[in-house]
Amino acid sequence: WGNLGHETVGFVAEQVPPDGHLQFLAPKAATFVHSTLNATWNFSLGPAAIWADQVKGEAAFKWSADLHFVDAEDSPMTGSCSVNEKRDCGDGECILTAIANYTTRVVNTKLPKEQILEALLFIDHFIGDIGQPLHVEAIEEGGNGISAKCSGESSTNLHAVWDTGMVTKHIDQSHGGTPQQYANDLVAEIKTGSFKSEAASWISCSSPTEPLSKRSPPGEILERELKALVNAHHSRAAEAITPLACPLVWAAESNAFDCSVVFDFTTGEDLCSGTYFAKAIPVIDLQLAKQGFRLAAWLNVLFDGAT
Ligand code: DCM
Ligand code: DCM
Ligand code: DCM
Ligand code: ZN
Ligand code: ZN
């Protein structure tokens, strides 16, 4: 997602209603978030969610660029979608292992404060990105190589249309032009609206420790436990990351949209209007609301032991 999508996910997770009380976050998670994020991010998971994109272009954080996605080598054009951690998580450096790594680090009180902050900033961002269908797809670098048209602008690409083009138009048209308002509207759908009946099922997978080997998620072929190695480029010993069950469940849900709405358009079609836009918007609403709700639940289990 672009900045607007990421901020929306953060605001949904933190869900600050007019009285200023954090509601989706449990007390200890809320306190941790507030005390860890400094004034740079207005102490909020909304603005903090964009940090990972800001730094990935800097030399010091170049290593993190591949952590924003997983290149699922499936075949959505022929109706076959799947994501497999062993097959698709290149060298063990992808969004699946990144979430596992920073989940371990965010609660590792032996780490320096800046590292714990960094872990929170990455989690805030990656739990958003894993909900973007094209962040769980290999074709043309997640659609970056597929030219597309959005609101008459024909020099964009499919990935950017999903990250930014459709989200921007939707927020401007229907949610008061701000990610805060969009998040409030999604939260209302979760609490009393169209998402009310399904929201509990979104967090049925919420264990930040359950290893992947314990279940066979949709699209998962692998049974053998994979000890992914992140930071393999470090000359010193790399840390072994145990793959987690839930990130793969989330990835498989996103990836499934690559076989329904994402590639269902004709060359030259404007994706930010008409039938494509009408089909995509409910997916964007769902994925942003769901990942925000999941981000809160993840932090709640980590800091409050909520289940
Ligand atoms: N690092 C990370 N994830 C890890 C290990 C390290 O993001 N699993 C980062 C944190 C530090 C840098 O790498 O910025 C160097 O850490 P270390 O000196 O612990 O290898
Ligand atoms: N991206 C992706 N899959 C890839 C490559 C890139 O999902 N195989 C994402 C990361 C960014 C966007 O596409 O959100 C643009 O990538 P970049 O900034 O690397 O061009
Ligand atoms: N780093 C890395 N690999 C990771 C995570 C982080 O190389 N998986 C980065 C963080 C630092 C850089 O390495 O910006 C340099 O690390 P060090 O401080 O160990 O030299
Ligand atoms: Zn993207
Ligand atoms: Zn990203």
Side-chain angles (χ1 to χ4, degrees):
W1 307 111
N3 290 353
L4 289 171
H6 282 291
E7 289 173 276
T8 301
V9 168
F11 285 131
V12 166
E14 159 172 275
Q15 216 281 94
V16 187
D19 64 5
H21 267 202
L22 298 165
Q23 292 188 359
F24 283 174
L25 285 181
K28 287 178 189 159
T31 301
F32 171 78
V33 164
H34 197 263
S35 62
T36 303
L37 297 178
N38 57 41
T40 309
W41 298 284
N42 199 25
F43 307 96
S44 165
L45 289 173
I50 70 178
W51 172 85
D53 276 338
Q54 292 174 338
V55 299
K56 79 175 184 194
E58 296 173 8
F61 281 94
K62 233 181 135 112
W63 53 270
S64 68
D66 287 349
L67 304 181
H68 293 247
F69 54 84
V70 52
D71 274 341
E73 300 281 353
D74 56 358
S75 183
M77 311 290 207
T78 63
S80 174
C81 276
S82 65
V83 52
N84 177 296
E85 186 152 348
K86 179 152 181 63
R87 181 191 65 190
D88 301 324
C89 191
D91 294 335
E93 301 236 6
C94 74
I95 194 165
L96 301 169
T97 45
I99 291 173
N101 180 34
Y102 294 108
T103 293
T104 307
R105 291 173 71 85
V106 81
V107 290
N108 182 350
T109 52
K110 288 184 194 137
L111 288 174
K113 263 180 120 161
E114 320 80 70
Q115 291 299 318
I116 291 174
L117 166 63
E118 206 172 281
L120 178 62
L121 294 169
F122 277 131
I123 290 170
D124 191 8
H125 186 91
F126 294 145
I127 291 187
D129 268 346
I130 203 170
Q132 210 278 48
L134 287 167
H135 278 243
V136 192
E137 180 51 57
I139 290 183
E140 295 284 345
E141 305 202 331
N144 278 286
I146 300 174
S147 53
K149 191 197 275 188
C150 176
S151 301
E153 176 59 64
S154 55
S155 64
T156 187
N157 68 71
L158 184 62
H159 190 100
V161 166
W162 275 85
D163 266 356
T164 311
M166 291 192 290
V167 178
T168 304
K169 181 160 183 197
H170 179 50
I171 292 180
D172 283 346
Q173 268 186 349
S174 310
H175 298 284
T178 69
Q180 288 90 338
Q181 185 58 49
Y182 186 27
N184 289 348
D185 294 343
L186 293 174
V187 164
E189 295 299 325
I190 292 171
K191 287 187 162 179
T192 55
S194 59
F195 293 143
K196 187 174 191 251
S197 59
E198 56 181 300
S201 73
W202 295 348
I203 57 171
S204 58
C205 194
S206 270
S207 165
T209 53
E210 183 189 340
L212 176 58
S213 54
K214 279 247 172 107
R215 63 166 79 194
S216 336
E220 175 59 29
I221 308 157
L222 153 91
E223 270 311 326
R224 191 157 44 91
E225 180 160 338
L226 163 80
K227 288 281 183 198
L229 299 176
V230 283
N231 56 356
H233 56 290
H234 269 252
S235 49
R236 54 185 163 277
E239 289 163 57
I241 305 295
T242 303
L244 296 180
C246 297
L248 191 63
V249 168
W250 307 335
E253 281 179 23
S254 298
N255 171 261
F257 288 114
D258 293 319
C259 277
S260 52
V261 306
V262 176
F263 291 95
D264 188 18
F265 61 92
T266 51
T267 310
E269 185 178 346
D270 194 314
L271 306 185
C272 296
S273 64
T275 53
Y276 189 87
F277 189 68
K279 275 193 302 177
I281 290 307
V283 175
I284 291 172
D285 283 346
L286 172 66
Q287 293 302 94
L288 294 175
K290 199 171 38 171
Q291 293 312 117
F293 200 62
R294 283 171 169 167
L295 172 58
W298 200 247
L299 296 172
N300 291 347
V301 176
L302 287 170
F303 293 97
D304 296 71
T307 47

